[in-house]
Amino acid sequence: MARNPLHSHVVFRRDPDLPGFEVRYSRYGGYAFRKHTHAAYCVGVVESGESAFYLDGRVLRTKPGDVVCINPGEVHACNPDPGSAMIYRMAYISPLWITRVGAELFGPEAGAFRFACPVLEDRDMAGAFEALFAAAARREPTAADVLEKESLLVSALGALMSRFSEVSPPGDTGENQAAKAVRDLLDADPAGGHSLEDLARASGRGRFHTLRLFREAYGLPPHAYRTQLRVELAKTLLARGASIADTAQETGFVDQSHFTRVFREHTGATPNQYQTG
């Protein structure tokens, strides 16, 4: 059963000068997140507090000054130790930024990138992202700020990728393709009411085999993956100014109360907190 975060404070920053880049400032004094994934690359800096960081079956430790790197689709959860509080800033970065910077660094045929080290003890890297976060948080941008922010983002990503990333081309086995077919079906219509039979038909496997293949490939059962897709879609709609009630309906949730509860479980913030920044 999900628990609400204690003494939580969440602020989101979406900068029109950096499309596909979002920063969140978070302060938590208790349990906040259940296991979840993101479609974006995530890079964060821990400012205070210590935590147990769950990532794809491993439990790692984070402390102040650490840089946390999470690849798209990796199942994770980070909550402060009991009786302590944690403050951190996290960037959500579109894969398009990674692809472009990777192509500039290693050539257009470099392939798919992934962060190889989930927790880094690197003061220079932390400083690079802290400078980027500070620039993106400015409320009154100028023409000069655009160049500065783009330079800080590209420089920080370039340094991170050149030192701590690896190329991970997607597999092409029949089982991977079966799991991908199910993911494609869910991705195409997150609000849809697909049945397990629909998923099995897409994969060309039996229902049990489909569930096993999908979880092995993506770390979550199909229903949890669909919920995550709905939350990501809701974030997009809220950022565009859609009402919370309309967003709940358009993303396939039972009602606004259900939507609010699930959104908070996955993001650590209410829909209103996310929308108002």
Side-chain angles (χ1 to χ4, degrees):
M1 180 176 180
R3 292 161 282 176
N4 290 330
L6 303 175
H7 312 297
S8 62
H9 176 68
V10 183
V11 177
F12 292 88
R13 290 284 183 265
R14 292 175 288 277
D15 192 325
D17 293 331
L18 298 174
F21 177 80
E22 179 180 85
V23 179
R24 124 196 221 123
Y25 171 86
S26 302
R27 182 174 71 241
Y28 293 112
Y31 180 96
F33 296 105
R34 64 168 55 193
K35 295 173 185 176
H36 61 286
T37 67
H38 296 288
Y41 288 84
C42 304
V43 181
V45 178
V46 180
E47 296 187 7
S48 68
E50 297 188 1
S51 73
F53 172 38
Y54 174 92
L55 180 72
D56 273 356
R58 294 174 291 169
V59 178
L60 309 169
R61 299 292 305 174
T62 66
K63 63 184 183 305
D66 284 348
V67 178
V68 177
C69 305
I70 305 170
N71 296 295
E74 288 184 333
V75 180
H76 63 281
C78 189
N79 294 293
D81 290 343
S84 68
M86 182 170 65
I87 299 175
Y88 66 92
R89 282 179 170 81
M90 179 70 74
Y92 302 92
I93 306 164
S94 165
L96 187 58
W97 279 105
I98 303 296
T99 300
R100 288 175 175 173
V101 173
E104 293 169 3
L105 285 172
F106 305 106
E109 305 302 323
F113 286 87
R114 65 181 301 276
F115 299 134
C117 301
V119 180
L120 307 175
E121 296 183 37
D122 192 299
R123 287 189 176 184
D124 290 339
M125 197 63 61
F129 277 93
E130 286 171 345
L132 170 61
F133 296 160
R138 292 173 188 157
R139 283 297 193 179
E140 297 181 0
T142 67
D145 288 335
V146 177
L147 175 59
E148 179 187 5
K149 287 182 287 190
E150 289 180 339
S151 300
L152 288 169
L153 175 56
V154 171
S155 295
L157 286 180
L160 181 62
M161 293 173 65
S162 62
R163 295 176 58 197
F164 300 108
S165 74
E166 60 188 20
V167 178
S168 180
D172 195 30
T173 67
E175 293 198 341
N176 285 343
Q177 289 302 308
K180 183 178 182 298
V182 174
R183 188 189 67 180
D184 289 345
L185 178 66
L186 297 173
D187 286 348
D189 185 16
H194 299 297
S195 68
L196 181 55
E197 190 62 39
D198 294 332
L199 306 189
R201 191 178 301 112
S203 72
R205 306 292 199 276
R207 291 174 296 178
F208 178 81
H209 197 186
T210 296
L211 291 174
R212 181 176 63 80
L213 287 178
F214 192 91
R215 183 156 197 157
E216 288 176 354
Y218 302 112
L220 293 171
H223 70 274
Y225 179 81
R226 183 182 64 182
T227 298
Q228 184 64 45
L229 289 176
R230 290 176 172 180
V231 170
E232 292 298 323
L233 175 59
K235 289 168 66 177
T236 298
L237 296 175
L238 292 170
R240 292 175 182 170
S243 72
I244 295 174
D246 287 346
T247 299
Q249 183 175 13
E250 291 186 38
T251 51
F253 288 94
V254 174
D255 53 32
Q256 186 172 330
S257 176
H258 178 224
F259 166 58
T260 298
R261 175 176 60 79
V262 173
F263 190 91
R264 187 168 188 172
E265 289 173 353
H266 282 76
T267 69
T270 66
N272 183 62
Q273 284 176 311
Y274 180 81
Q275 189 169 56
T276 59

